[in-house]
Amino acid sequence: MTHVAGIDYAVMGLYSAFVLGIGVLLRRSVRTSEDFFLSGRAIPAWVTGLAFLSANLGAQEVIGMGASGAKYGIATSHFYWIGAIPAMVFIGLFMMPFYYGSRARSVPEYLKLRFDEKTRALNAVSFATMTVFSSGISLYAMGKLLHLLLGWSFDASILVAAGVVLAYIFLGGLTSAIYNEVLQFFLIVFGFAPLVFLGLRAVGGWPGLSARLATVAAANGYAPGAYTRSWAFMGHAAHNPVGVEWFGLVMGLGFVLSFGYWCTDFLVVQRAMAANSMTAARRTPLIAALPKMLFPFLVIFPGMIALVVTPPATSRAPSAQVAPAPGAAVTVTATATAAAAAPAGVVPPKLDPRTGAPLRDARGRVVLDYDLATPMLLLNFFPAGLLGLGLTALLASFMSGMAGNVTAFNTVWTYDLYQSYVRPGRALPRDGPHRHGRGHRDLNRRGVRRRLIQQHHGLPAARVRVRERAIVRHLRARHVLEARDGPRRVRGARRRDARRRRAPRALPARGRERRREGWLPRRSCHFPQRAGPDVLDGHRRLGHLLSRDHPGVPRDPAEAGGGARWTGLRAD
């Protein structure tokens, strides 16, 4: 167990108070369900960009990439430069116009608009299940790490960290999570940058690190530069520590895994969907891609350095790193054997829980616990005060990952599972046109059912404001409704045209033509399955409604090229 000074505890306590304070300050901005789940789509691009990156910097990223750096060397950087950057650029340029333009509240909801309800259900259930398991893994890793390094209670560490994350998300919703992720991004950068600097100085810079890693590569049967050159030994799988050739790396990681993750994972896409405009949403992944290219130097280098660096004489690292699990019998001989078998670096060996001796592979080599590479380097090189900053950076990485999982799960559960299957058609307590002084009954009283309005491609029920009266007209997409301030009744010509599968006529302005077409009772609205082929004739007031309630939507439908070509509309 490492002795932590009071100033280190003060830094961690100040961080916890600060993230809770952000949640309290942002509580006033949460008035509707859209504010809570989607931040009201009002976050600037630079904030969503950093949150887009920080939501991916969880414990599995920081600790896992450091472990991969110690095990595979600089070839781990392919997970960034091949497995992330191209896909992030692609989603910003090509996918975000579809996600954001459809006004969908989640990726499963967009898949429903693009395909069908079954696709939405499959994606929502699988994503929710994966998110729950991922959060559990992060909590377990954090509790185990704090217990091993600092001697904190495993259960207490999990409960306190989870309670802090739950508190600031409950107070400020997605907005609080996004702004806290920006804070956590800077903490991770300023917490790990000194670690890389001190570690490189201890090994003699990049030339010294390359020379030491060449010895490790030769001992493992690879060429001297296998741990420090990313592409030189990718011609054959047996020539590099990763065990993958270049074609499998480019096609498997660069196309299949990276595009499948970055373009469909709602955990990161949700940050871009919270941007305040289409332009900001498209810039969000592009802004995140810039620092993402530099993160291998922050999270992979510590693992590489920990494999070969010599611990300083004033190291405060715990001697329990080579101790067995609690309850295991240990002898002095076993401990001495472990110390002798350990490499020159600070990465401890894995221990047999029964005997306390270090584990060995089939060739008799010590099996190292690479997951502790970054934490052990931090404990060996950071003095008091700076150690608190480093531990806070670790906590920030755990909390940012958990907060991202929680906010994404909340949205998918509420919109795609609860409202769709558990209580279908039920409005949220914060839904409805409260800003216009009307309740939910106004929508139903005029014959425009909320369930039908929810089927509008890109016009959720929570955003429909019917202040006076509603008129319904049929677009080229199925079940698409238009609500605007206007006459109370639905025009008879619209009903007859839809029934005869003809294009709806232009809406007359006033006078004799209005009286000639007649009126329908307000409760006898007819919503056919399909409408005629050409629909936006004389349809200028639609853009007026959407521009008031949905910034970024063109005021005149003709500017968008017709209703069937609107982003997010699917023609039948």
Side-chain angles (χ1 to χ4, degrees):
M1 182 179 69
T2 303
H3 174 71
V4 181
I7 188 174
D8 300 323
Y9 284 112
V11 172
M12 290 185 283
L14 182 63
Y15 163 73
S16 300
F18 202 85
V19 296
L20 290 175
I22 292 177
V24 173
L25 291 176
L26 294 176
R27 183 179 182 181
R28 299 179 180 179
S29 63
V30 180
R31 296 185 178 90
T32 66
S33 61
E34 185 175 358
D35 295 335
F36 186 83
F37 292 113
L38 296 175
S39 299
R41 300 184 188 268
I43 308 297
W46 73 271
V47 176
T48 56
L50 294 181
F52 188 96
L53 176 60
S54 181
N56 186 249
L57 286 177
Q60 302 168 25
E61 174 87 5
V62 175
I63 302 299
M65 286 300 171
S68 297
K71 188 174 183 179
Y72 304 120
I74 197 61
T76 310
S77 61
H78 291 308
F79 285 95
Y80 290 86
W81 297 328
I82 301 298
I85 304 302
M88 294 170 71
V89 174
F90 179 84
I91 186 178
L93 297 180
F94 299 103
M95 291 301 297
M96 283 316 302
F98 293 99
Y99 285 140
Y100 195 89
S102 69
R103 311 302 293 180
R105 298 165 295 188
S106 65
V107 170
E109 186 175 33
Y110 172 80
L111 293 178
K112 173 195 172 182
L113 304 179
R114 178 61 181 85
F115 298 103
D116 53 18
E117 184 65 33
K118 294 179 291 185
T119 307
R120 174 192 191 178
L122 176 62
N123 184 265
V125 172
S126 60
F127 177 80
T129 305
M130 181 272 295
T131 303
V132 171
F133 283 122
S134 179
S135 300
I137 293 173
S138 296
L139 286 173
Y140 177 81
M142 182 192 64
K144 182 179 179 180
L145 187 65
L146 294 179
H147 173 72
L148 180 63
L149 299 181
L150 305 179
W152 293 359
S153 170
F154 177 82
D155 297 333
S157 300
I158 290 180
L159 292 177
V160 171
V164 172
V165 173
L166 178 63
Y168 71 72
I169 291 179
F170 179 79
L171 291 172
L174 180 62
T175 306
S176 177
I178 287 178
Y179 280 99
N180 272 306
E181 284 165 358
V182 174
L183 170 66
Q184 289 154 358
F185 167 80
F186 288 108
L187 279 175
I188 293 172
V189 171
F190 291 121
F192 284 97
L195 183 64
V196 176
F197 172 77
L198 294 176
L200 284 176
R201 189 179 65 175
V203 297
W206 176 252
L209 179 63
S210 300
R212 297 193 185 195
L213 287 175
T215 304
V216 175
N220 292 331
Y222 300 112
Y227 279 79
T228 54
R229 301 180 66 180
S230 57
W231 286 103
F233 303 96
M234 285 293 171
H236 195 279
H239 295 166
N240 60 84
V242 182
V244 179
E245 60 180 2
W246 70 269
F247 184 80
L249 178 73
V250 173
M251 299 302 297
L253 178 61
F255 284 94
V256 179
L257 295 180
S258 65
F259 283 85
Y261 171 76
W262 289 101
C263 296
T264 62
D265 187 11
F266 184 57
L267 170 65
V268 292
V269 174
Q270 186 182 29
R271 274 66 191 158
M273 295 174 70
N276 56 11
S277 66
M278 173 70 76
T279 303
R282 299 183 68 180
R283 289 176 179 173
T284 294
L286 303 180
I287 293 174
L290 293 177
K292 187 75 172 179
M293 290 188 291
L294 304 178
F295 256 79
F297 303 104
L298 287 180
V299 296
I300 296 177
F301 269 34
M304 298 171 60
I305 296 170
L307 187 64
V308 295
V309 71
T310 302
T314 58
S315 171
R316 300 193 301 168
S319 59
Q321 58 180 310
V322 293
V330 185
T331 61
V332 177
T333 305
T335 306
T337 304
V346 296
V347 182
K350 288 186 177 180
L351 303 177
D352 190 336
R354 296 172 299 176
T355 63
L359 295 176
R360 296 179 179 272
D361 58 14
R363 291 186 288 180
R365 297 179 302 179
V366 175
V367 178
L368 300 179
D369 192 354
Y370 294 108
D371 292 336
L372 294 178
T374 300
M376 292 304 300
L377 187 68
L378 186 148
L379 295 177
N380 275 279
F381 284 90
F382 272 5
L386 198 57
L387 177 61
L389 179 61
L391 293 176
T392 302
L394 283 178
L395 289 177
S397 68
F398 284 109
M399 289 186 178
S400 64
M402 285 191 295
N405 288 329
V406 170
T407 53
F409 177 83
N410 287 345
T411 305
V412 171
W413 164 256
T414 303
Y415 288 133
D416 299 300
L417 296 177
Y418 180 80
Q419 281 192 332
S420 299
Y421 302 104
V422 180
R423 299 292 296 274
R426 181 180 177 86
L428 295 178
R430 294 182 179 182
D431 275 349
H434 299 295
R435 296 177 184 174
H436 296 286
R438 292 185 178 272
H440 306 300
R441 292 179 297 177
D442 290 339
L443 295 177
N444 293 334
R445 199 167 58 205
R446 287 169 171 78
V448 183
R449 292 287 180 182
R450 179 178 293 274
R451 188 177 302 178
L452 293 176
I453 297 178
Q454 282 179 321
Q455 293 173 348
H456 189 298
H457 291 245
L459 190 60
R463 294 292 292 173
V464 175
R465 271 61 162 145
V466 185
R467 292 194 290 181
E468 296 179 1
R469 302 173 181 87
I471 183 171
V472 178
R473 300 164 71 185
H474 306 287
L475 300 180
R476 191 174 173 180
R478 60 181 179 180
H479 292 307
V480 178
L481 305 181
E482 175 205 355
R484 72 168 180 85
D485 297 340
R488 174 179 297 216
R489 304 167 182 83
V490 178
R491 300 301 175 88
R494 297 287 160 253
R495 180 181 179 185
R496 288 193 299 271
D497 288 340
R499 184 182 298 171
R500 297 169 187 171
R501 305 295 180 109
R502 295 177 181 173
R505 307 174 192 175
L507 185 65
R510 59 177 64 88
R512 296 181 180 179
E513 294 181 353
R514 169 181 291 183
R515 294 193 296 270
R516 188 181 307 159
E517 286 195 3
W519 305 87
L520 286 179
R522 61 184 180 186
R523 292 187 178 273
S524 61
C525 299
H526 177 65
F527 304 102
Q529 289 289 332
R530 299 176 186 272
D534 241 338
V535 295
L536 286 178
D537 187 14
H539 222 51
R540 295 185 178 275
R541 289 193 177 92
L542 171 66
H544 175 68
L545 169 81
L546 298 182
S547 64
R548 183 181 65 244
D549 287 340
H550 302 273
V553 178
R555 178 174 294 273
D556 189 346
E559 298 176 3
R565 294 196 297 271
W566 279 27
T567 304
L569 294 183
R570 188 180 88 174
D572 287 301

